[in-house]
Amino acid sequence: MIIFLFLNLVILSAGILINRFSFKDYSSVDNILNILSLYFALIVLIVVSLGLSGHLDIFWIMQFSVIIFILTLLLQYANPDKPGWPIQTGSYLKSLFSKLTAQPHILIITVTIFWTLFIQYYLNRFMPDLGSDSLSYHLTFPAYWLKTRSLYTPMIPFADPSYAYSPLNGEIYNFWLLVPFRDDTLAKFAQAPFWLGLWLVSYSILRKLNVNKKTSYLASLLIFVLQPFLREKYMAYNDIMLAYLFMSVINYLLLIRERHKSTLIFLAVNIGLFLGIKYTVWAYIGTLGVIGLACLAQQFLEEKKLCRQNFKKITSGDKRRFLSSAQSFRGTLNHATFSSTCKKYIPVILYSALIIIVLGGFSYLRNFLTTSNPL
């Protein structure tokens, strides 16, 4: 248990330090989602790196985790002028509690749901995971990696052999929970953090769509009573992970309208993790593409409208005097804006593409090298 707490504390601390450089751009809920995404991404990076080198054991995992934490700490000291956590945690929690107590029915609903979930998890903590997919590969692969100290994936004669070629990000997180205990004490509850994350990201998306706070909060609580999620809460599956990452990608697509460079990085992190969960994610790529194009189109129309309003202000009054100069100014401004945007965002886009490949491309590259087919 001490090793487990140490590893997760180190990785969470590293995620907080990395996210520190973009705190000023996001709400408190989005900051928590950023840290959860970075936490998952760092775990994938550590396990894949050590698994490819054949050093996938607890000793090397602890060393690699500490190195990452030290690097992020050095980055912190190298940039002392960067903003810190934007809110006072104590005052924020006190304000949140006062809002809940002001509406007793919401407080009762919240306490009932979370208390019920806690009791269920507590009573089932020693129950074995009897899910067919868990026994076939979700827990079988991590157990095999633990013995071989590598990410070699065996064929499965007693189940669908295509599982051996599936993306492995979900199994990598199962391995992370399995390695400190060398059993499935916590691995069977691997989806619990992503269940909570799905609740937060649902609330965040509703708020970005201008739904009021009370409705957003109550609607997001439905995540905890939907039958598919209740069925998998004790199983080491990856469907809740997939749902969380899908919603998280949508959340960052909605944030693109604010045009923060860090948004593209976090979007790339979530896309990479999303592509590395399972093959069925490709069925949702079209939906995400449509949502992304809609967000970009809305941003373009808003900027075009703003440009027209500014142009009318410039050319108002004596039009003969200012028309030619205003048109010249607009052309110069548009050219400068386009050039500066390209110079500003092209490197970020290239970094984002690299992040997607690193976090989501391992299984596809392995399949291509072994079978000449990435799928």
Side-chain angles (χ1 to χ4, degrees):
M1 178 60 74
I2 295 177
I3 294 176
F4 168 77
L5 294 175
F6 172 78
L7 284 176
N8 285 276
L9 180 61
V10 167
I11 295 302
L12 279 173
S13 300
I16 291 173
L17 290 174
I18 295 172
N19 186 49
R20 177 179 180 268
F21 299 97
S22 56
F23 273 158
K24 64 179 181 180
D25 297 333
Y26 299 100
S27 67
S28 55
V29 174
D30 284 330
N31 277 317
I32 296 173
L33 296 173
N34 291 347
I35 294 170
L36 180 58
S37 298
L38 291 170
Y39 166 75
F40 191 16
L42 290 174
I43 290 173
V44 171
L45 179 63
I46 291 170
V47 174
V48 170
S49 300
L50 294 177
L52 292 176
S53 62
H55 295 89
L56 196 57
D57 57 35
I58 190 63
F59 174 75
W60 284 98
I61 289 175
M62 292 179 67
Q63 280 194 337
F64 206 145
S65 301
V66 172
I67 289 173
I68 289 178
F69 174 72
I70 292 174
L71 290 175
T72 56
L73 200 59
L74 292 175
L75 186 64
Q76 165 91 7
Y77 283 108
N79 297 272
D81 57 329
K82 290 293 182 178
W85 187 268
I87 57 175
Q88 297 295 326
T89 305
S91 60
Y92 177 78
L93 293 176
K94 183 178 180 180
S95 173
L96 180 62
F97 181 75
S98 63
K99 291 178 181 178
L100 288 175
T101 53
Q103 304 182 63
H105 59 290
I106 296 180
L107 180 62
I108 292 172
I109 293 173
T110 304
V111 171
T112 301
I113 289 176
F114 281 96
W115 178 251
T116 303
L117 292 175
F118 171 77
I119 293 298
Q120 289 178 342
Y121 274 113
Y122 181 79
L123 294 177
N124 288 274
R125 66 192 186 282
F126 297 124
M127 283 287 293
D129 188 342
L130 301 179
S132 58
D133 287 352
S134 299
L135 300 177
S136 297
Y137 68 106
H138 289 313
L139 292 177
T140 303
F141 289 171
Y144 191 81
W145 299 339
L146 188 62
K147 293 182 178 181
T148 61
R149 301 175 61 192
S150 70
L151 285 181
Y152 175 75
T153 304
M155 296 299 295
I156 310 174
F158 50 84
D160 188 347
S162 66
Y163 291 154
Y165 302 98
S166 298
L168 299 173
N169 281 356
E171 288 68 41
I172 286 174
Y173 187 67
N174 293 341
F175 173 83
W176 181 265
L177 298 179
L178 184 147
V179 66
F181 302 96
R182 303 187 69 85
D183 59 37
D184 66 344
T185 301
L186 288 181
K188 60 188 175 184
F189 300 134
Q191 297 196 99
F194 301 94
W195 202 6
L196 294 173
L198 186 58
W199 167 49
L200 294 175
V201 77
S202 300
Y203 172 82
S204 181
I205 289 174
L206 290 172
R207 292 294 297 140
K208 289 180 178 61
L209 297 177
N210 297 322
V211 179
N212 65 70
K213 290 184 178 181
K214 180 179 178 180
T215 304
S216 299
Y217 182 78
L218 291 174
S220 62
L221 285 176
L222 292 175
I223 293 296
F224 296 111
V225 296
L226 295 178
Q227 191 269 341
F229 300 111
L230 291 172
R231 183 183 60 195
E232 291 193 9
K233 64 179 179 291
Y234 307 131
M235 299 180 182
Y237 282 17
N238 55 18
D239 299 302
I240 296 178
M241 296 181 188
L242 185 150
Y244 161 73
L245 290 169
F246 176 76
M247 297 289 283
S248 188
V249 171
I250 294 176
N251 185 50
Y252 288 107
L253 286 173
L254 294 174
L255 277 172
I256 283 181
R257 295 175 297 180
E258 300 179 14
R259 300 203 334 182
H260 298 305
K261 289 190 292 185
S262 58
T263 301
L264 290 177
I265 298 297
F266 284 117
L267 177 62
V269 168
N270 283 271
I271 290 176
L273 295 173
F274 180 65
L275 294 178
I277 284 291
K278 58 195 306 182
Y279 284 133
T280 53
V281 301
W282 292 99
Y284 304 100
I285 294 298
T287 303
L288 294 176
V290 171
I291 294 174
L293 290 175
C295 293
L296 291 174
Q298 182 183 8
Q299 178 67 23
F300 174 77
L301 293 175
E302 289 177 355
E303 290 186 354
K304 187 176 180 180
K305 182 179 178 181
L306 180 61
C307 181
R308 287 180 176 177
Q309 291 175 350
N310 293 335
F311 181 68
K312 288 180 179 179
K313 291 180 180 179
I314 293 174
T315 57
S316 61
D318 190 354
K319 294 185 178 181
R320 292 182 179 180
R321 180 178 178 182
F322 294 104
L323 182 57
S324 60
S325 60
Q327 289 175 342
S328 176
F329 170 75
R330 184 177 64 170
T332 304
L333 180 61
N334 288 340
H335 180 269
T337 302
F338 177 77
S339 301
S340 61
T341 300
C342 289
K343 292 179 181 179
K344 181 179 179 180
Y345 282 94
I346 284 180
V348 178
I349 292 173
L350 294 177
Y351 292 144
S352 300
L354 179 62
I355 290 172
I356 292 173
I357 293 172
V358 170
L359 296 179
F362 164 72
S363 299
Y364 302 98
L365 180 61
R366 176 206 59 189
N367 294 345
F368 179 77
L369 294 176
T370 55
T371 66
S372 299
N373 182 357
L375 301 179

